[in-house]
Amino acid sequence: MNTDELVRALRPDDLLDDAYHRRRGADLTRILTDPPSRRPSPVRARLLLGGAAAAVSAALAVPVLVSGATGPIVAGGPAGSGVASAPADRVAPVVTLDARSFLLAGADNAARADVKAGRYWYSRERSYEPQPSGEVLVSSTETWYDGETGRGRTTSGLDAEVVAGGATAKAKPTPRTRDFRIKLLTGVGGESLSQDDLWRLPRQAEDLRRWLEARRRGEPSVDFTFSMTRLVLSGPTTPATRAAMLRVLADQPGLRLERGVADPIGRPGAAVVSADGANRLIVDESGARLLAEEYTGPDREEERVGRGVRVGARTGEKTVYESSGWVEKIGERP
Amino acid sequence: MDDPEERFTELYDRHYRNVLGYALLRAERQSAEDIASETFLIAWRRLAQVPEHPLPWLLVVARNLLRKQRHLELRPLRLTLSAPEGDVADQVGERQAALDALARLSGADAEALILTSWYGLGPAEAAKVVGCSARTFAVRLHRARRRLADMLNSSQTVLQEQLR
């Protein structure tokens, strides 16, 4: 037996076979229901299928925004609803507000937003994923999901691009559409929330603050609050909950407000930035509608917390919330 | 194969054990299984980029995940490659000698031997996995084989002397 044969005989085939047979079903279920080209969301979704829990990375963690958000609080600001397309002119601020005042005004606007009835929660998002090579992968995903029946559809791989060194290469679009019937749960602080649970989140700022604090599990308050603001403002939550969330965010110390900015697809708005500059939410000028989020802090490693995983973050990651709202049928858009 | 799900499932079935075996060199069992799963999740998300001969690509992804999770050093191979039950004494002895010898090699040398003997990778493919040139890898592999053979020969000599 030569050295290669000797080393080959050391391969732990029994152990590998055991793991392969034990994990194959759950792995394939989890992976094949994951939309391609998505980065994990800070709030990891979990998928329950056939009674067996299997982790899924953010299958439905990012939908949406407030449909029918109210008008601007600043004269000249765009009301902005639906999917924006062409880059818009920068908005000149007429009134100077600090971040806290801006968010509180946004909360008032969010609370007044109409609630559109419908069976399916629809969202279209665009994600920007920096790669170690320096390239940035860009892709859009559309999702419809009815939490009551578990029926849904996801189409991913739309508008794929690779951006490297300022040059953009359009990748060959390979959109994949999958119809599914599964129960999607969003994990927050060890608790799994259904679509209905998200709808029933506390509607008063103080109640929501207590609810969040009970689930923060040691994560820095500012990071957790920004993550939850993304979830609440982009998810199927009530206008009152969104307003409460903005009030909770407004109480974070050291927030900065940047006016006259645009999101990565050119929609004008204002940026609310955490004191350390790492977390940046771009909202429309009403302050009530989330347009995009950007992470510009140092790379964060994935971290185990109890039985859960706090996913990492890479500097330069962005998610654009292009459109969302309730619709009656799969295929319809708000 | 046009159906991406079918293509991916075949990829998983053919290479899961290879990826897990590689992850086990640096991570304990639970973490290694999670890393193998994450590797295939990335492969699914990047299915269009997975090359025709996918194993080196998969091992690079697994290696990057291991590095990201701070599994930088090879674990003691004894923990990873425990002897299967039912081995006859000679096989156990031979296996133990090989394990001892491998454990005394540097991590890079042991990895070079494992990549070529477990996976049949050529120097160019294995070099991509470990992030060096094919020439550097070939030198490393040659050195690793010679050192392993030397150590095994010396251990046999010691064993024979003890039996006298």
Side-chain angles (χ1 to χ4, degrees):
Chain A
M1 195 181 279
N2 65 28
T3 52
D4 278 10
E5 288 166 342
L6 251 180
V7 175
R8 192 176 306 129
L10 295 177
R11 188 176 146 127
D13 287 328
D14 289 349
L15 188 155
L16 301 175
D17 279 344
D18 168 69
Y20 166 74
H21 291 298
R22 188 163 33 79
R23 298 207 39 145
R24 183 179 186 276
D27 273 358
L28 290 178
T29 301
R30 178 176 79 101
I31 292 169
L32 292 175
T33 51
D34 182 89
S37 296
R38 294 280 303 278
R39 77 175 170 87
S41 154
V43 183
R44 176 161 283 204
R46 288 192 159 265
L47 159 73
L48 291 183
L49 182 63
V56 80
S57 64
L60 194 71
V62 229
V64 193
L65 72 74
V66 186
S67 60
T70 58
I73 57 172
V74 177
S81 65
V83 179
S85 51
D89 293 332
R90 299 298 169 95
V91 180
V94 176
V95 179
T96 301
L97 294 175
D98 64 18
R100 178 178 162 77
S101 306
F102 181 84
L103 288 168
L104 292 177
D108 290 341
N109 287 332
R112 288 199 300 269
D114 292 331
V115 178
K116 202 184 272 183
R119 293 179 63 84
Y120 292 88
W121 185 249
Y122 166 84
S123 69
R124 181 179 167 115
E125 292 168 30
R126 189 166 177 76
S127 66
Y128 296 69
E129 300 176 71
Q131 305 297 302
S133 63
E135 295 176 332
V136 180
L137 296 178
V138 188
S139 181
S140 296
T141 302
E142 279 187 303
T143 307
W144 290 261
Y145 179 59
D146 173 9
E148 199 173 318
T149 64
R151 289 184 191 280
R153 173 179 292 175
T154 179
T155 301
S156 53
L158 302 159
D159 305 332
E161 291 175 5
V162 177
V163 181
T168 297
K170 282 272 184 192
K172 184 183 172 189
T174 52
R176 293 183 64 255
T177 295
R178 290 182 54 80
D179 288 327
F180 57 84
R181 186 168 185 176
I182 46 183
K183 187 170 181 64
L184 290 168
L185 299 176
T186 302
V188 176
E191 194 168 323
S192 297
L193 305 178
S194 67
Q195 191 180 69
D196 191 49
D197 291 332
L198 291 173
W199 185 254
R200 294 171 185 278
L201 284 175
R203 300 175 185 197
Q204 299 293 326
E206 267 317 303
D207 296 342
L208 184 61
R209 197 189 320 277
R210 278 195 296 273
W211 188 93
L212 292 171
E213 194 52 38
R215 287 156 184 82
R216 185 160 63 86
R217 299 202 301 185
E219 186 170 357
S221 178
V222 63
D223 292 338
F224 185 65
T225 305
F226 269 82
S227 296
M228 289 306 301
T229 304
R230 288 179 52 196
L231 174 71
V232 168
L233 292 192
S234 67
T237 53
T238 63
T241 299
R242 286 192 285 264
M245 189 71 239
L246 287 167
R247 292 188 176 107
V248 172
L249 179 64
D251 283 344
Q252 291 296 308
L255 293 179
R256 284 187 290 114
L257 181 67
E258 296 173 2
R259 305 298 292 272
V261 304
D263 77 358
I265 60 172
R267 296 177 297 182
V272 177
V273 186
S274 59
D276 61 2
N279 298 283
R280 195 164 184 264
L281 293 178
I282 301 178
V283 294
D284 72 352
E285 282 289 345
S286 79
R289 178 182 172 194
L290 180 62
L291 301 179
E293 66 91 16
E294 300 173 357
Y295 178 75
T296 54
D299 290 355
R300 281 202 310 253
E301 300 296 332
E302 186 169 283
E303 193 179 337
R304 285 195 176 278
V305 180
R307 293 177 60 195
V309 175
R310 184 180 301 149
V311 299
R314 187 178 288 276
T315 189
E317 284 180 342
K318 301 173 193 174
T319 303
V320 176
Y321 304 96
E322 293 189 65
S323 174
S324 63
W326 294 100
V327 296
E328 270 305 323
K329 294 177 185 168
I330 286 179
E332 286 182 358
R333 293 174 180 82
Chain B
M1 192 177 295
D2 292 335
D3 181 9
E5 291 180 16
E6 197 179 329
R7 182 183 168 211
F8 175 79
T9 303
E10 186 182 319
L11 183 78
Y12 183 96
D13 287 342
R14 181 167 293 185
H15 293 297
Y16 176 85
R17 297 171 184 83
N18 292 328
V19 173
L20 176 61
Y22 185 70
L24 275 168
L25 297 176
R26 285 187 168 77
E28 51 82 26
R29 186 166 175 166
Q30 185 61 50
S31 295
E33 290 184 11
D34 290 346
I35 282 166
S37 295
E38 195 69 15
T39 299
F40 282 95
L41 177 63
I42 290 170
W44 169 245
R45 290 174 171 172
R46 308 272 180 267
L47 196 58
Q49 301 165 24
V50 177
E52 191 179 350
H53 299 293
L55 185 57
W57 188 93
L58 290 167
L59 296 182
V60 169
V61 173
R63 187 183 173 90
N64 288 340
L65 289 171
L66 286 160
R67 188 181 301 144
K68 194 175 172 188
Q69 296 189 18
R70 302 275 189 262
H71 298 297
L72 301 177
E73 301 296 331
L74 285 183
R75 300 170 66 227
L77 291 165
R78 219 181 307 269
L79 295 177
T80 304
L81 312 175
S82 57
E85 292 177 10
D87 272 9
V88 294
D90 283 354
Q91 287 172 335
V92 171
E94 197 171 48
R95 186 184 179 87
Q96 195 58 53
L99 272 176
D100 288 345
L102 257 185
R104 286 159 59 198
L105 291 177
S106 73
D109 284 0
E111 186 175 37
L113 281 170
I114 285 170
L115 284 172
T116 50
S117 61
W118 285 13
Y119 304 126
L121 298 184
E125 292 175 315
K128 279 184 195 163
V129 176
V130 301
C132 67
S133 72
R135 183 179 170 79
T136 301
F137 185 87
V139 170
R140 186 181 297 170
L141 179 63
H142 175 74
R143 184 183 59 200
R145 282 176 173 150
R146 197 187 62 227
R147 286 179 179 168
L148 185 69
D150 288 349
M151 281 190 272
L152 287 171
N153 288 335
S154 67
S155 70
Q156 282 172 359
T157 306
V158 171
L159 191 62
Q160 284 169 3
E161 285 174 353
Q162 285 174 345
L163 289 175
R164 278 176 194 160

